[in-house]
Amino acid sequence: MVEGYLTYSLQLLWYMESTWWINANMDQHSVPPARFAKEMIWLAESQKNMSALLGNI
């Protein structure tokens, strides 16, 4: 496995998925989509520290 593969994959996930879930109407989502939106926000806020959090795996 390539070093940093998981970190890079999570960044790509954020770029691909966040535009679908993070929008002005996100407070109206049902429970599962609302949780997913919160996870996308966490990923955005944590990207700078992702390598340290995951041990650069």
Side-chain angles (χ1 to χ4, degrees):
M1 181 181 286
V2 176
E3 187 174 304
Y5 187 76
L6 180 58
T7 303
Y8 184 66
S9 296
L10 288 171
Q11 289 173 346
L12 291 176
L13 172 74
W14 182 84
Y15 286 119
M16 185 177 77
E17 299 284 341
S18 65
T19 58
W20 297 340
W21 298 103
I22 309 301
N23 57 53
N25 299 321
M26 66 183 271
D27 291 335
Q28 298 172 11
H29 290 315
S30 63
V31 174
R35 179 177 171 155
F36 191 76
K38 288 179 183 180
E39 291 170 358
M40 291 294 102
I41 291 169
W42 180 87
L43 273 174
E45 293 171 347
S46 302
Q47 281 190 18
K48 290 182 181 176
N49 300 324
M50 197 62 64
S51 290
L53 289 170
L54 298 174
N56 202 29
I57 53 175

